[in-house]
Structure formats: C-alpha cells, structure tokens
Amino acid sequence: MPTVTIHPTGEVIYLEPGETVLSGLYKAGFAYTVGCRRGGCAICKVDCRSGQFRYDHPVADTVLTEDEHLDGTCLTCRAVPDTDITIELRGENVRLVNTFLHMINDKARQRAEANAAARLMAGTTPKEQ
Ligand code: FES
C-alpha cells in the first residue's frame, strides 16, 4: 500500500494499489486545485520530492514537458505511485475539508502498519502470504 506524504505538513495518505495521487488526496478528505481530472489541463501538478510514480495512461507533451518528466513534476490526477512518495503542493497548502474521510484514511494507515508489523514478525512478505 503506497503512501503519499505531503511536505511540509507531514500528512500521510494511504493509497490502494493502482490509485492516483489525486484520488488519494480526495479520498483522505483533502482538497487540492483540480481541473479536468484526466491529464488534460495541467492544473493538478505538484513536485515529487522523493519516491517513484508512473502514468498508466499517456500524458500529452503539452501537459508535461520533457523537462517536467525528468524534474519530479507530478501530474496528480494521472500519477500512480510505485513506492512511497513525498510531494510538495504548488502555491497552496493542503486543506482538510472532510474530517470523516480523514479518519477513515487514518484507520487504513493503522491497519496497514499493523499488517506490516505482523508480516515482519512472521518473516513473510506480502507476496508470500
Ligand atoms: S486535473 Fe487536469 S491534468 Fe490533472
């Protein structure tokens, strides 16, 4: 279960496998500037400070330049983390708009941490189960 950490607040969001960064932000009760939600407007860009992500759908060169593909620019509505990632929002702070969803995401984090600890104790990895 990859995580998204928001710099500098330190908020941690837990994603389901294959889930986009933007979906995770909204699912965890946060609001962020969004437009088309399908990789066409470039409004949802953030900076990825660490970690790896991929795009499961093509992203046009008019939305992300070649340099942006290399410099950590992350199109949140299309980016699917392969590892835990840390992002920094552009020009605004993350806003918590739904505390109930935030609590659900926090429970998911607690379950994931408990499962990871149990696997560690048992000496197994998720694929071995
Ligand atoms: S919301 Fe339009 S590109 Fe992400």
Side-chain angles (χ1 to χ4, degrees), residues 106-124:
D106 202 45
K107 294 281 186 203
R109 177 188 57 76
Q110 291 170 9
R111 277 194 306 274
E113 288 174 354
N115 289 340
R119 281 194 302 271
L120 192 63
M121 294 286 285
T124 61

Side-chain angles (χ1 to χ4, degrees), residues 64-108:
L64 274 182
T65 66
E66 197 173 315
D67 286 344
E68 287 177 320
H69 276 287
L70 301 173
D71 71 5
T73 298
C74 172
L75 199 64
T76 60
C77 70
R78 288 291 197 200
V80 176
D82 289 321
T83 65
D84 293 347
I85 68 170
T86 299
I87 61 170
E88 184 170 359
L89 307 185
R90 293 182 172 180
E92 67 178 273
N93 294 320
V94 69
R95 291 171 287 132
L96 181 61
V97 294
N98 188 321
T99 53
F100 182 68
L101 289 176
H102 189 65
M103 284 175 12
I104 291 172
N105 188 263
D106 202 45
K107 294 281 186 203

Side-chain angles (χ1 to χ4, degrees), residues 22 33-45 59 63 74-78:
L22 187 64
T33 304
V34 66
C36 67
R37 294 183 185 217
R38 56 185 178 87
C41 69
I43 287 175
C44 66
K45 288 178 185 173
V59 174
V63 177
C74 172
L75 199 64
T76 60
C77 70
R78 288 291 197 200

